């Protein structure tokens, strides 16, 4: 069950323990997992049995699927993470125009986003390969997650964030967990270019989703949601799309799940971008014959990305799942966020893009009301509390401003009337 790295562009191979995350030709490596001993029902049973008791996987929703993620022996750096809920709320389904909308809340991971699933695997692999330091570029979530796992592994961590453009909650986490935090005068795309070059030249392990082990960990969002549905795939999986790591990971997970007989049919995947940060949408509209770069601008800071790194492997996902790419305006994102928040669930704006996408696709007749849909909420409501408070103080349509009162029961009674 040994794995190897294969360059997606030139097919060159490297051992799994190679410190390189990018090929000399500029292509990205994919992990090629070796043969898995069980298939189909036996493999499903192995994973299901671990739901009760799984000391080797430390109760993690990532390491439960270890044969498909990072086989082999050695320590694992796990919080643990995963085991996120699938929420169903009739009011939200109705809002989206569906009978059955489920939300898989990846914001309920330990540091508040899906990044923890990729980070546990990438940091584990970095530690096993003898890394001396780790680094990432981030709009917030990646940095918080990396900082936590690096601290657990005892590895120095370098975080590159766009100066003045990182949410307070996330900056707080990176600093608190002890990462050296660099405010770069530039946007996320500039941070990513810089950290890629710096990692190459300085021998630091890069932990953005160009690192193939991040993708392996993020596959477990799909494995876990299939398991939660008794291994019955939904009709659609809808995900917000920025740097396209998740879109890439989901395609790989679904391909492997089918090859291993975990499922018989593939759900369709819809990747949703913000209109102001839509290079992948543009490429989709051009039949994927062209790749685009844009100057990204959107309220959804996590997907404010103009030149997505995992473009090629995301194209493969959309093609193989008969999927599609949609775009939504910032106003739609904020409306969807208000609906998710009001349902008592809550999420960050980038996550709400997926829910806005669902509603738009239902209205367009692309998704039918009776189809089963799972949308992925990628991040937590509390990433950026100030923006949420400003929204509610702003007096807009869904605003719920606080009320100042005298400290008397009469004042409370007046409010109830
Ligand atoms: N949703 C959230 C909450 C994110 O933080 C990100 C990416 C995405 C969606 C986009 O996912 O790149 O796999 O398409 N956040 C990165 C960060 C950029 O730095 O935390 P993708």
């Amino acid at each position: 069950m040994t794995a190897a790295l294969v360059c997606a562009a030139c097919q060159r191979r490297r051992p799994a323990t190679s410190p390189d995350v990018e090929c000399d030709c500029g292509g990205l490596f994919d992990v090629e997992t070796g043969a898995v001993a069980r298939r189909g029902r036996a493999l499903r049973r192995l994973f299901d049995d671990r739901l009760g008791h799984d000391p080797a996987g430390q109760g993690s929703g990532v390491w439960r699927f270890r044969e498909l993620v990072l086989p082999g022996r050695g320590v694992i750096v796990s919080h643990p993470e995963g085991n996120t809920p699938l929420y169903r709320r009739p009011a939200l389904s109705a809002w989206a125009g569906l009978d059955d909308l489920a939300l898989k809340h990846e914001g309920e991971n330990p540091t508040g986003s899906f990044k923890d699933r990729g980070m546990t695997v990438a940091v584990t692999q970095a530690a096993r390969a003898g890394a001396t330091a780790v680094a990432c570029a981030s709009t917030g979530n990646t940095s918080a997650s990396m900082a936590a796992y690096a601290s657990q592994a005892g590895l120095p961590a370098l975080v590159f964030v766009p100066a003045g453009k990182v949410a307070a909650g996330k900056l707080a986490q990176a600093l608190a967990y002890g990462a050296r935090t660099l405010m770069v005068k530039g946007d996320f795309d500039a941070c990513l270019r810089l950290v890629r070059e710096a990692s190459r030249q300085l021998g630091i392990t890069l932990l953005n989703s160009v690192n193939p082990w991040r993708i392996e960990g993020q596959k477990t969002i799909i494995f876990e949601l299939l398991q939660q549905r008794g291994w019955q795939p939904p009709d659609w999986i809808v995900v917000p799309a920025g740097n396209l790591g998740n879109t890439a990971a989901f395609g790989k997970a679904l391909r492997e799940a089918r090859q291993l007989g975990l499922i018989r049919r593939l759900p369709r995947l819809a990747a949703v971008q913000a209109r102001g940060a839509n290079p992948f949408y543009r490429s989709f509209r051009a039949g994927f014959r062209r790749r685009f770069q844009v100057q990204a601008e959107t309220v959804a800071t996590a997907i404010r990305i103009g030149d997505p790194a995992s473009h090629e492997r995301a194209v493969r996902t959309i093609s193989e799942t008969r999927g599609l790419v949609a775009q939504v305006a910032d106003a739609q994102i904020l409306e969807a966020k208000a609906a998710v928040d009001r349902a008592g669930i809550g999420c960050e704006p980038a996550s709400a893009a997926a829910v806005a996408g669902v509603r738009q696709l239902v209205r367009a007749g692309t998704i039918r009301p009776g189809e089963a849909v799972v949308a992925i909420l990628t991040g937590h409501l509390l990433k950026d509390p100030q923006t949420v408070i400003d929204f509610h103080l702003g007096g807009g349509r869904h605003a719920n401003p606080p009320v100042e009162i005298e400290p008397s029961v009469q004042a409370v009674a007046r409010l109830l009337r």
Side-chain angles (χ1 to χ4, degrees):
M1 285 202 286
T2 52
L5 302 183
V6 185
C7 172
C10 74
Q11 314 304 318
R12 198 174 316 176
R13 299 171 73 84
R14 294 273 168 93
T17 49
S18 164
D20 303 330
V21 300
E22 296 174 89
C23 183
D24 297 334
C25 79
L28 297 180
F29 285 118
D30 286 326
V31 176
E32 186 186 70
T33 308
V36 177
R38 303 185 209 199
R39 298 178 44 83
R41 186 187 304 203
L43 190 56
R44 286 198 292 265
R45 192 173 325 119
L46 176 71
F47 296 148
D48 289 349
D49 285 348
R50 288 176 181 164
L51 284 171
H53 183 62
D54 180 27
Q58 298 184 15
S60 160
V62 171
W63 296 99
R64 180 185 315 133
F65 305 102
R66 50 195 171 270
E67 286 80 1
L68 313 185
V69 168
L70 177 58
R73 289 177 204 287
V75 286
I76 60 175
V77 184
S78 170
H79 200 94
E81 50 291 305
N83 299 312
T84 58
L86 261 189
Y87 289 125
R88 283 190 171 80
R89 295 289 181 274
L92 262 183
S93 295
W95 180 84
L98 286 172
D99 301 338
D100 178 22
L101 171 66
L103 303 173
K104 184 150 180 68
H105 207 326
E106 288 298 306
E108 299 192 3
N109 270 292
T111 75
S113 81
F114 71 92
K115 306 287 180 179
D116 294 340
R117 292 198 186 250
M119 219 44 92
T120 180
V121 180
V123 170
T124 293
Q125 180 64 4
R128 288 185 187 178
T132 52
V134 294
C136 71
S138 182
T139 59
N141 284 321
T142 305
S143 61
S145 180
M146 186 188 80
Y149 284 86
S151 145
Q152 193 180 344
L155 284 168
L158 267 186
V159 156
F160 295 64
V161 293
K165 288 275 171 68
V166 61
K170 293 290 139 175
L171 182 59
Q173 282 178 291
L175 298 174
Y177 298 137
R180 198 96 174 107
T181 302
L182 313 177
M183 304 280 208
V184 180
K185 295 176 188 160
D187 59 8
F188 171 82
D189 297 294
C191 291
L192 186 57
R193 278 193 299 275
L194 177 61
V195 76
R196 283 172 96 157
E197 196 50 49
S199 302
R200 234 185 330 259
Q201 289 190 26
L202 306 175
I204 303 167
T205 301
L206 180 59
L207 290 186
N208 281 98
S209 58
V210 294
N211 181 312
W213 300 103
R214 282 273 313 273
I215 302 291
E216 293 305 289
Q218 286 170 214
K219 290 188 319 194
T220 64
I221 300 172
I222 296 294
F223 298 146
E224 192 174 272
L225 93 75
L226 292 171
Q227 184 173 40
Q228 284 168 306
R229 293 179 47 89
W231 303 102
Q232 294 300 318
D235 296 300
W236 290 89
I237 295 173
V238 185
V239 65
N243 217 17
L244 303 178
N246 264 340
T247 307
F250 288 13
K252 191 166 190 280
L254 290 169
R255 194 181 314 137
E256 292 173 358
R258 191 165 63 173
Q259 279 164 1
L260 290 165
L262 290 173
I263 54 171
R264 288 222 180 81
R265 113 189 126 70
L266 290 186
R268 299 179 70 183
L269 193 128
V272 184
Q273 295 213 289
R275 187 174 286 166
N278 65 354
F280 194 49
Y281 173 77
R282 291 189 196 197
S283 178
F284 171 71
R285 292 300 300 252
F288 289 134
R289 284 180 298 274
R290 277 189 62 192
R291 189 170 170 169
F292 290 80
Q293 290 174 8
V294 305
Q295 191 67 45
E297 192 46 62
T298 164
V299 288
T301 51
I303 52 174
R304 192 188 277 159
I305 296 171
D307 184 17
S310 289
H311 174 88
E312 298 295 345
R313 41 196 192 193
V315 169
R316 184 172 176 194
T317 296
I318 300 299
S319 309
E320 288 185 357
T321 64
R322 297 187 306 117
L324 57 84
V325 187
Q327 66 170 0
V328 291
D330 279 1
Q332 288 172 277
I333 292 175
L334 290 176
E335 195 182 340
K337 177 172 155 52
V340 175
D341 289 357
R342 273 297 182 89
I345 295 173
C347 66
E348 68 166 282
S351 312
V355 181
V358 170
R359 178 157 134 131
Q360 176 173 290
L361 290 166
V362 172
R363 289 189 161 180
T366 310
I367 297 180
R368 289 194 303 274
E371 290 187 301
V373 180
V374 179
I376 311 297
L377 300 181
T378 45
H380 200 278
L381 168 77
L382 290 178
K383 173 183 187 173
D384 193 357
Q386 198 55 52
T387 305
V388 180
I389 292 169
D390 290 348
F391 173 82
H392 289 289
L393 291 175
R397 190 146 76 89
H398 301 285
N400 175 33
V403 186
E404 199 174 283
I405 61 162
E406 294 300 326
S408 73
V409 173
Q410 292 92 313
V412 179
R414 262 199 301 281
L415 272 179
L416 283 178
R417 280 204 291 273

